[in-house]
């Protein structure tokens, strides 16, 4: 009897398997990811030029506003300047990464503006073929041209000229070590990359990747092109550098700050969000930065006598209390170095969210916090300048910075903007109007 039951059971299971063999399988597919972008990318050539110039000058304004207090703590800034509301004379010693001359007038800038200018020339030369290899070769060739210039007779006869030329060499030398190794193969490239500025996750790509947002056809392409060129970045710094480009693209095509900021949520072509245990750090920082700003209105001191407002601050004690709360929370999140990509990203997002599209409000927030304030302000200024255009930037700031950049820094931002527009407009206009 027991054997019959076992046999019956086996026959029943076999029958079920046979009957299910040809039965349709219900398959619920993973929903496709919809491309994220503005409602419209249609833009006139004149408006495109205005926005490209706005990005370059907006970035230079941010750089100039922070140049005099770069790497300072906010307590130092308040002690010397009070609250900074505009550009100030750049009273500081020259350095390869900083200014190339001592004590520049207001409007003087640092390597943050030089990198945008250098990228403009790269885009002009390689607009049809933007690749990591071409970019590496471009930086290597620039470095080698500087080395070659050291043999010029005028340099050999002037120690002062040699000092000036060496500042230029030392600025790009750390980067050229990586680009030279990039051509030699993956092993040499990894070795040089992992000693780049001490092996820390520095904000290398953020200095120049926003430029790709000006010359991309879509948000995703802005991200991916920047990612390919972020050859100096390690870890999630590559994601951050790429998002800065995507944010710029969105700013180029929409005034809506929510749409611009939401780029961080919806543009993730390489699936960082799927990372095990951690998820997407760039997005986690984005949420944290927004939470800090939102909480600032809920954490006010009832006794205004406990709040000391710095000289030059134009708001009331409630507004300063909110600002000081955000600064204190950012202090708790400081990284080991002030130019760590994660810290730069956090301050940038907090500033953009706090300012909500207001250029001066965003710039003063960032500059008065300190740390690597000129770099953060330069990135924010680039994004907001692309959003508003040169025509809508503060008149006194934009005219002074544009003049000093051209006449003193030898950086013609108007010419750079024209070159970018002339070499990219036809192709981009075709893509944007599809």
């Amino acid at each position: 009897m027991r054997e019959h039951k076992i046999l019956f059971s086996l026959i029943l299971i076999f029958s079920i398997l046979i009957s299910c063999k040809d039965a349709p399988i219900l398959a619920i597919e993973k929903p496709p990811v919809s491309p994220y972008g503005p409602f419209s990318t249609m833009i006139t050539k004149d408006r495109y030029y205005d926005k490209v110039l706005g990005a370059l000058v907006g970035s230079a304004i941010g750089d100039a506003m922070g140049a005099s207090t770069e790497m300072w703590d906010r307590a130092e800034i308040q002690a010397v300047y009070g609250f900074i509301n505009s550009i100030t004379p750049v009273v500081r010693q020259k350095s390869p990464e900083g200014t190339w001359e001592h004590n520049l007038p207001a409007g003087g800038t640092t390597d943050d503006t030089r990198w945008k200018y250098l990228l403009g020339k790269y885009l002009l030369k390689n607009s049809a073929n933007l690749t990591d290899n071409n970019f590496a070769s471009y930086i290597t060739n620039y470095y080698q041209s500087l080395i070659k210039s050291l043999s010029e007779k005028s340099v050999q006869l002037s120690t002062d000229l040699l000092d000036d030329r060496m500042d230029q060499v030392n600025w790009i030398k750390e980067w050229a070590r990586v680009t030279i190794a990039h051509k030699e193969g993956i092993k040499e490239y990894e070795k040089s990359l992992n000693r780049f500025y001490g092996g820390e996750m520095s904000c290398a790509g953020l200095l120049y990747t926003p430029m790709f947002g000006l010359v991309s056809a879509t948000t995703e392409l802005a991200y991916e092109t920047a990612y390919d060129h972020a050859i100096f970045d390690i870890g999630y710094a590559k994601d951050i550098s790429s998002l800065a480009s995507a944010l710029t693209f969105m700013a180029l095509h929409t005034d809506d700050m929510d749409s611009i900021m939401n780029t961080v949520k919806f543009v993730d072509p390489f699936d960082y969000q799927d990372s095990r245990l951690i998820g997407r750090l760039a997005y986690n920082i984005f949420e944290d930065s927004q939470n800090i700003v939102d909480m600032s209105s809920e954490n006010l001191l009832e006794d205004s006598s406990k709040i000391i407002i710095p000289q030059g601050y134009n708001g009331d004690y409630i507004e300063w209390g909110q600002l000081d709360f955000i600064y204190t929370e950012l202090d708790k999140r400081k990284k080991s170095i002030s130019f760590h990509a994660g810290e730069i990203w956090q301050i940038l997002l907090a500033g953009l969210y706090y300012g909500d599209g207001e250029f001066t409000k965003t710039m003063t927030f960032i500059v008065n916090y300190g740390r690597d304030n000129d770099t953060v302000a330069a990135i924010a200024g680039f994004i907001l300048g692309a959003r508003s255009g040169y025509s809508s930037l503060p008149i006194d700031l934009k005219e002074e910075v544009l003049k000093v950049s051209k006449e003193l820094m030898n950086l013609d931002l108007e010419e750079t903007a024209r070159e970018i527009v002339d070499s990219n407009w036809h192709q981009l206009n075709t893509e944007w109007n599809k």
Side-chain angles (χ1 to χ4, degrees):
M1 178 64 69
R2 185 164 177 264
E3 288 81 0
H4 288 162
K5 288 183 178 180
I6 294 174
L7 180 61
F8 178 76
S9 298
L10 290 172
I11 293 172
L12 180 62
I13 293 172
F14 184 69
S15 299
I16 292 173
L17 290 173
I18 292 176
S19 65
C20 292
K21 183 177 180 181
D22 298 322
I25 299 175
L26 180 62
I28 302 178
E29 298 291 337
K30 179 181 178 181
V33 178
S34 300
Y36 183 76
F39 290 113
S40 174
T41 53
M42 296 182 66
I43 184 173
T44 66
K45 187 176 182 180
D46 287 344
R47 182 57 174 156
Y48 178 47
Y49 170 76
D50 185 53
K51 282 175 164 280
V52 171
L53 182 60
L56 293 173
V57 176
S59 180
I61 291 173
D63 187 9
M65 286 184 70
S68 59
T69 57
E70 181 184 12
M71 304 300 177
W72 287 25
D73 181 85
R74 61 193 172 102
E76 294 179 89
I77 295 175
Q78 291 176 24
V80 176
Y81 290 94
F83 192 83
I84 298 174
N85 290 293
S86 187
I87 55 176
T88 60
V90 188
V91 181
R92 57 181 285 182
Q93 296 293 305
K94 69 174 184 176
S95 67
E97 282 81 13
T99 59
W100 284 348
E101 189 52 79
H102 305 300
N103 304 331
L104 295 173
T109 53
T110 71
D111 63 332
D112 294 283
T113 303
R114 288 197 296 270
W115 266 111
K116 310 298 189 306
Y117 184 82
L118 191 62
L119 250 290
K121 300 305 179 183
Y122 165 73
L123 292 175
L124 180 64
K125 186 176 181 179
N126 296 276
S127 59
N129 196 15
L130 300 177
T131 68
D132 59 334
N133 288 329
N134 282 345
F135 181 53
S137 295
Y138 181 80
I139 298 301
T140 298
N141 291 339
Y142 174 66
Y143 166 73
Q144 291 174 340
S145 70
L146 291 174
I147 294 298
K148 185 177 180 180
S149 71
L150 297 178
S151 63
E152 294 174 2
K153 188 174 182 179
S154 58
V155 176
Q156 295 175 6
L157 295 175
S158 171
T159 56
D160 291 335
L161 184 56
L162 175 62
D163 285 342
D164 292 341
R165 202 62 58 85
M166 286 306 301
D167 281 339
Q168 299 175 39
V169 171
N170 288 328
W171 169 54
I172 204 68
K173 181 178 66 177
E174 189 80 4
W175 307 72
R177 179 184 291 115
V178 176
T179 60
I180 292 170
H182 185 275
K183 188 176 182 179
E184 295 176 351
I186 186 65
K187 187 175 181 179
E188 291 302 315
Y189 170 58
E190 287 184 347
K191 186 189 301 181
S192 63
L193 179 62
N194 287 320
R195 63 170 285 199
F196 180 73
Y197 281 102
E200 184 55 278
M201 201 174 79
S202 58
C203 64
L206 281 169
L207 297 179
Y208 59 84
T209 54
M211 290 286 288
F212 297 110
L214 299 176
V215 296
S216 297
T218 67
T219 320
E220 282 72 21
L221 282 175
Y223 180 101
E224 292 171 6
T225 304
Y227 192 93
D228 289 342
H229 286 75
I231 60 176
F232 307 99
D233 286 332
I234 60 176
Y236 68 98
K238 289 178 73 74
D239 188 28
I240 289 173
S241 293
S242 305
L243 282 169
S245 174
L247 286 166
T248 300
F249 175 86
M250 285 297 296
L252 194 68
H253 295 284
T254 180
D255 291 335
D256 186 68
M257 282 303 297
D258 286 339
S259 297
I260 294 170
M261 298 296 283
N262 282 338
T263 302
V264 183
K265 297 180 181 179
F266 298 112
V267 178
D268 185 17
F270 300 140
D271 298 320
Y272 272 86
Q273 196 67 56
D274 291 338
S275 301
R276 290 279 295 158
L277 302 178
I278 303 298
R280 191 182 194 187
L281 287 170
Y283 178 69
N284 296 346
I285 295 172
F286 168 78
E287 284 196 316
D288 184 50
S289 299
Q290 288 191 324
N291 288 336
I292 291 172
V293 177
D294 288 339
M295 287 190 300
S296 68
S297 61
E298 304 168 5
N299 291 269
L300 300 179
L301 292 175
E302 294 183 2
D303 185 0
S304 62
S305 65
K306 296 181 180 180
I307 299 178
I308 301 175
I309 300 177
Q311 184 178 1
Y313 182 70
N314 297 320
D316 58 29
Y317 79 90
I318 294 178
E319 293 169 323
W320 174 253
Q322 292 175 323
L323 188 58
D324 191 60
F325 172 84
I326 300 171
Y327 285 168
T328 301
E329 289 299 310
L330 290 175
D331 285 343
K332 298 174 184 178
R333 293 157 175 80
K334 288 179 180 178
K335 304 297 184 183
S336 58
I337 57 171
S338 58
F339 55 95
H340 188 287
E343 178 174 320
I344 298 291
W345 182 240
Q346 180 118 49
I347 302 167
L348 171 67
L349 293 174
L352 289 172
Y353 191 54
Y354 173 83
D356 194 30
E358 294 184 37
F359 185 87
T360 302
K361 184 179 181 180
T362 304
M363 293 297 105
T364 55
F365 170 93
I366 292 170
V367 170
N368 285 282
Y369 177 64
R371 304 287 283 177
D372 196 0
N373 54 359
D374 66 325
T375 292
V376 187
I379 302 167
F382 196 93
I383 294 169
L384 294 179
R387 174 179 176 266
S388 68
Y390 176 80
S391 57
S392 296
L393 292 175
I395 295 177
D396 56 334
L397 294 177
K398 68 183 181 184
E399 291 182 350
E400 185 66 20
V401 166
L402 196 62
K403 178 182 178 181
V404 172
S405 293
K406 182 177 181 179
E407 296 180 1
L408 188 63
M409 312 304 295
N410 296 312
L411 304 174
D412 191 334
L413 301 181
E414 289 178 298
E415 179 186 59
T416 302
R418 281 193 297 270
E419 290 174 344
I420 291 173
V421 171
D422 290 342
S423 61
N424 290 278
W425 166 251
H426 179 74
Q427 181 62 36
L428 287 176
N429 188 47
T430 301
E431 295 291 336
W432 290 341
N433 287 281
K434 282 184 178 178

